[in-house]
């Protein structure tokens, strides 16, 4: 064997400290955004049956929740509202006293430093469950933009630090940017759901947000999972229209897309580790089939390796505890 010539890559893997020294990607608490579902009423903590460890909580429990998150080093939350009443045009999304607006005020009064990212969509607030205005079975694009702008401005007025439009209407970034600017919120960034696929991985989220479409599906406005180049066209449009962050959703099945977006654009890239990815890991762990901690850390590190700067994940609390030892 002495005459063989080959590279000795294992030299850099010999010990744990050696592996730490040459590790290329790291998870930090600054990387994470924790999704939070807020409901109307009082003294409410509704466990989401398909998402172990995730709850819908009422406004009076928000200070306690925020304190826990801050103690874990989680500095940003993504707010979703679950209203009592819905209508055909999603009035609760842009009402001054809508659930996300009220939740934002509670959080900002209790802990002004917590970053509030407001999900800007209509699906949780419409009685048909679609992300825009519906007429004759079609989701209307331009008419929906007007309501999304109203929602974004209302959220900014309530104190949201970042607006995160998830509706996938054409032109939603430029419409919201113009609306925010005209209302005096030029300083509020837009975290665009730039690349959002019509994915089967969203099922548990629709339980949590009560946002299942009552007819049809969302394939006319969310992207075909088979398409790659379309993702770059979508992201390019959002960059040109004024987006400040680019979300790729879902995360795990679309890490190739995440890398494409990272290579193409110089804005912060956000991976959305969605509900189906979360629930599958939790279910397998509960059955003793996997090592949950090892799987979660490997998966989230994979997002960083694929090019994500930030990660929206329901695992944020768990990861905080893992990283704190």
């Amino acid at each position: 064997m002495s005459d063989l010539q080959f590279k000795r890559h294992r030299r850099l893997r010999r010990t744990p400290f050696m592996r730490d020294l040459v590790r290329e990607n790291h998870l930090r608490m600054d990387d994470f955004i924790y999704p939070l579902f807020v409901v109307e009423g009082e003294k409410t903590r509704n466990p989401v049956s398909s998402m172990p460890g995730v709850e819908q909580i009422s406004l009076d429990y928000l200070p306690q929740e925020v304190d826990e998150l801050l103690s874990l080093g989680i500095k940003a939350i993504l707010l979703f509202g679950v209203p009592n009443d819905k209508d055909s045009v999603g009035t609760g999304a842009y009402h001054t006293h809508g659930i996300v607006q009220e939740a934002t005020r509670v959080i900002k009064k209790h802990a002004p430093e917590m970053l509030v990212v407001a999900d800007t969509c209509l699906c949780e607030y419409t009685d048909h469950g679609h992300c825009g205005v519906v007429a004759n079975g079609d989701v209307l694009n331009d008419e929906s933009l007007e309501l999304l702008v109203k929602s974004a401005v209302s959220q900014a007025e309530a104190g949201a630090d970042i607006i995160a439009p998830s509706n996938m209407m054409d032109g939603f970034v430029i419409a919201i940017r113009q609306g925010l600017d005209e209302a005096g919120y030029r300083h509020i960034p837009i975290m665009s759901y730039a690349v959002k696929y019509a994915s089967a991985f969203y099922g548990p989220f629709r339980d949590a947000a009560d946002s299942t479409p009552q007819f049809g599906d969302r394939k006319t406005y969310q992207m075909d999972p088979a398409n790659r180049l379309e993702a770059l066209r979508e992201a390019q449009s959002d960059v040109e229209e004024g987006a400040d962050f680019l979300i790729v959703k879902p995360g795990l099945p679309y890490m190739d897309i995440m890398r494409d977006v990272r290579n193409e654009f110089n804005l912060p890239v956000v991976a959305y580790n969605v509900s189906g990815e979360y629930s599958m890991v939790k279910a397998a762990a509960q059955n003793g089939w996997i090592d949950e901690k090892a799987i979660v850390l490997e998966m989230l590190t994979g997002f960083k390796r694929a090019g994500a700067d930030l990660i929206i994940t329901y695992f944020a609390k768990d990861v905080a505890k893992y990283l704190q030892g």
Side-chain angles (χ1 to χ4, degrees), residues 24-188:
E24 298 174 27
N25 293 281
H26 299 267
L27 295 174
R28 308 170 305 146
M29 288 316 300
D30 291 344
D31 299 332
F32 298 111
I33 301 170
Y34 182 67
L36 201 56
F37 299 94
V38 185
V39 296
E40 296 183 271
E42 296 180 345
K43 300 188 185 310
T44 301
R45 298 191 82 103
N46 296 326
V48 180
S49 60
S50 57
M51 300 180 69
V54 174
E55 297 176 311
Q56 300 171 333
I57 66 171
S58 53
L59 295 174
D60 50 322
Y61 284 132
L62 272 179
Q64 176 184 340
E65 184 74 14
V66 168
D67 286 345
E68 179 189 1
L69 294 171
L70 289 172
S71 72
L72 291 170
I74 297 168
K75 302 176 181 178
I77 55 177
L78 175 59
L79 276 185
F80 295 97
V82 184
N84 286 339
D85 300 312
K86 305 187 180 197
D87 58 32
S88 63
V89 293
T91 303
Y94 45 87
H95 195 285
T96 302
H97 298 291
I99 185 61
V100 164
Q101 288 81 353
E102 290 298 300
T104 300
R105 293 186 184 100
V106 169
I107 293 167
K108 283 300 181 180
K109 181 178 180 181
H110 179 74
E113 70 274 23
M114 175 63 83
L115 281 173
V116 173
V117 184
D119 179 80
T120 307
C121 197
L122 301 180
C123 62
E124 296 112 292
Y125 307 92
T126 55
D127 51 18
H128 47 72
H130 279 284
C131 301
V133 178
V134 172
N136 300 318
D138 291 329
V139 179
L140 306 180
N141 195 91
D142 296 10
E143 292 82 351
S144 300
L145 293 180
E146 296 178 17
L147 301 184
L148 293 166
V149 171
K150 290 175 64 176
S151 300
V153 171
S154 177
Q155 291 166 341
E157 287 175 345
D161 298 286
I162 299 172
I163 299 300
S166 60
N167 53 87
M168 288 298 285
M169 297 295 115
D170 289 338
F172 68 99
V173 173
I174 194 169
I176 290 173
R177 183 71 273 159
Q178 180 177 330
L180 289 172
D181 290 355
E182 290 177 351
Y185 298 104
R186 293 179 181 273
H187 60 289
I188 299 294

Side-chain angles (χ1 to χ4, degrees), residues 221-292:
Y221 46 101
Q222 295 178 3
M223 291 171 48
D224 185 339
N227 291 355
R228 184 175 186 176
L229 297 179
E230 183 182 8
L232 296 179
R233 296 198 298 272
E234 287 279 0
Q236 180 68 48
S237 293
D238 288 2
V239 171
E240 293 171 354
E241 292 175 14
D244 300 283
F245 304 80
L246 301 174
I247 297 175
V248 176
K249 180 181 182 183
L252 197 58
Y254 299 94
M255 292 172 74
D256 60 323
I257 306 300
M258 212 174 296
R259 172 47 58 185
D260 287 343
V261 172
R262 170 74 290 152
N263 288 345
E264 192 73 19
F265 307 104
N266 61 9
L267 294 179
V269 175
V270 186
Y272 199 138
N273 181 211
V274 301
S275 60
E277 298 163 22
Y278 174 86
S279 295
M280 288 192 301
V281 171
K282 286 291 185 181
Q286 288 180 351
N287 279 284
W289 297 336
I290 60 171
D291 179 335
E292 181 177 341

